[in-house]
């Protein structure tokens, strides 16, 4: 039995048919064009131009300013060398796009879909990827995010804010059959921390957090992301 999950979305029912009618041929060609637009080759996206326009002043590994340009990657992206930690890096080092084989355009499209709560099934269809690819990408996003926060320490002026999102419908608590008003425990509190370079968002609690909750979330419990001047 054919595994539908692994099916490529590149194919149409008329690919190997030599007797397509005009409409079938038209749909086939337009679908293939669309597929190519969704999956551009790295060399066709002007990505190197975009990445090389980013001004880099510090080493992506140790923040040293003793860096210099040294050669290009195979995709024509500027490479840098750090005189202090003796490592090479590029504008994508330490970002979600590091070591990417698909274009940034494709990644952005995919990320916009999942950050807008698109299901794996939907993003697979929209981006014309097999379900396996979409599932793999989602796992990759989580692995990257986990790695991103591993050694994260915020520096300088740190901004901290909160956003609230409703819990899913079945978890909504009511009082006398009515929804609770304002920032109740029916809302997740997402704390967002930013220092003009790094950003992290974590689920703090349900409802409005106290200073203690925020402090414990961002400073204590294995998450010493910044130092506090007391
Ligand atoms: Zn360095």
């Amino acid at each position: 039995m054919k595994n539908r999950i692994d099916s490529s979305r590149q194919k149409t029912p008329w690919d190997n048919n030599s007797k397509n009618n005009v409409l079938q041929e038209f749909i086939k060609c337009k679908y293939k064009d669309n597929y190519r637009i969704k999956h551009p080759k790295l060399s066709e996206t002007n990505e190197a131009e975009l990445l090389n326009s980013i001004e880099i002043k510090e080493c992506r590994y140790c923040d040293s300013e003793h860096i210099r340009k040294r050669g290009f990657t195979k995709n024509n992206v500027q490479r840098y060398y750090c005189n202090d930690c003796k490592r090479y890096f590029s504008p994508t080092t330490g970002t979600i796009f590091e070591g990417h084989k698909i274009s940034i355009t494709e990644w952005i499209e995919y990320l916009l879909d999942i950050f807008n709560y698109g299901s794996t099934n939907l993003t697979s269809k929209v981006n014309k990827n097999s379900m396996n690819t979409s599932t793999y990408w989602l796992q990759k996003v989580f692995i990257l995010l986990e790695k991103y926060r591993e050694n994260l320490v915020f520096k300088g002026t740190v901004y901290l804010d909160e956003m609230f999102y409703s819990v899913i419908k079945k978890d909504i608590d009511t009082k006398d059959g009515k929804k609770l008003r304002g920032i109740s425990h029916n809302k997740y509190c997402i704390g967002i921390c930013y220092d003009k370079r790094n950003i992290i968002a974590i689920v703090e609690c349900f409802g409005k957090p106290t200073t203690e909750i925020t402090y414990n979330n961002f400073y204590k419990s294995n998450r010493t992301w910044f130092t506090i001047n007391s």
Side-chain angles (χ1 to χ4, degrees), residues 59 61-62 64 82 85:
C59 169
Y61 294 107
C62 71
S64 161
C82 173
C85 72

Side-chain angles (χ1 to χ4, degrees), residues 129-150:
N129 283 324
S130 73
M131 275 291 278
N132 275 354
T133 304
S134 285
T135 311
Y136 168 68
W137 285 7
L138 186 60
Q139 286 167 351
K140 198 172 171 188
V141 169
F142 283 118
I143 291 168
L144 281 166
L145 289 176
E146 196 62 44
K147 194 177 154 203
Y148 169 77
R149 66 182 230 178
E150 241 170 41

Side-chain angles (χ1 to χ4, degrees), residues 51-72:
L51 294 172
N52 291 339
S53 71
I54 299 169
E55 201 183 345
I56 305 223
K57 290 182 176 169
E58 293 170 351
C59 169
R60 283 292 163 89
Y61 294 107
C62 71
D63 296 337
S64 161
E65 290 177 9
H66 302 133
I67 58 167
R68 59 195 150 108
K69 291 178 177 174
R70 202 190 264 184
F72 292 87

Side-chain angles (χ1 to χ4, degrees), residues 9-216:
R9 296 203 193 271
Q10 190 174 3
K11 293 177 192 146
T12 74
W14 308 291
D15 285 4
N16 301 316
N17 194 349
S18 56
K19 289 178 185 162
N20 288 336
N21 65 32
V22 180
L23 180 60
Q24 288 166 338
E25 196 59 27
F26 179 84
I27 295 173
K28 186 184 97 179
C29 290
K30 289 298 166 196
Y31 186 89
K32 299 268 174 192
D33 285 350
N34 237 324
Y35 185 88
R36 276 191 289 274
I37 290 168
K38 289 284 182 186
H39 302 274
K41 287 184 183 158
L42 278 176
S43 54
E44 294 168 354
T45 58
N46 295 337
E47 198 171 283
E49 228 169 88
L50 166 77
L51 294 172
N52 291 339
S53 71
I54 299 169
E55 201 183 345
I56 305 223
K57 290 182 176 169
E58 293 170 351
C59 169
R60 283 292 163 89
Y61 294 107
C62 71
D63 296 337
S64 161
E65 290 177 9
H66 302 133
I67 58 167
R68 59 195 150 108
K69 291 178 177 174
R70 202 190 264 184
F72 292 87
T73 68
K74 64 178 188 318
N75 292 319
N76 290 324
V77 176
Q78 182 70 57
R79 254 192 344 164
Y80 295 82
Y81 179 74
C82 173
N83 287 328
D84 284 335
C85 72
K86 316 283 183 211
R87 296 173 84 176
Y88 285 95
F89 62 94
S90 79
T92 57
T93 303
T95 73
I96 200 164
F97 305 114
E98 185 174 351
H100 66 302
K101 291 198 174 59
I102 57 165
S103 70
I104 286 184
T105 334
E106 212 175 322
W107 258 115
I108 289 173
E109 285 273 320
Y110 172 75
L111 292 173
L112 283 174
D113 288 337
I114 57 163
F115 292 151
N116 280 305
Y117 308 110
S119 65
T120 315
N121 190 12
L122 178 74
T123 57
S124 149
K125 284 174 185 160
V126 170
N127 295 293
K128 299 203 188 314
N129 283 324
S130 73
M131 275 291 278
N132 275 354
T133 304
S134 285
T135 311
Y136 168 68
W137 285 7
L138 186 60
Q139 286 167 351
K140 198 172 171 188
V141 169
F142 283 118
I143 291 168
L144 281 166
L145 289 176
E146 196 62 44
K147 194 177 154 203
Y148 169 77
R149 66 182 230 178
E150 241 170 41
N151 301 310
L152 193 56
V153 178
F154 289 91
K155 289 175 185 167
T157 306
V158 178
Y159 302 86
L160 195 61
D161 206 353
E162 292 140 6
M163 282 184 81
F164 297 89
Y165 287 95
S166 289
V167 297
I168 57 172
K169 214 171 176 181
K170 77 174 179 59
D171 291 338
I172 290 178
D173 226 6
T174 53
K175 195 179 177 187
D176 304 326
K178 288 180 183 167
K179 275 189 186 176
L180 304 175
R181 295 168 70 107
I183 301 168
S184 67
H185 60 261
N186 284 336
K187 289 188 188 294
Y188 289 106
C189 171
I190 316 280
I192 300 145
C193 196
Y194 174 63
D195 69 352
K196 291 191 176 171
R197 177 169 177 180
N198 295 301
I199 186 164
I200 198 159
I202 58 164
V203 179
E204 284 203 55
C205 59
F206 293 99
K208 203 157 174 55
T210 60
T211 310
E212 192 187 357
I213 289 174
T214 302
Y215 178 83
N216 287 340

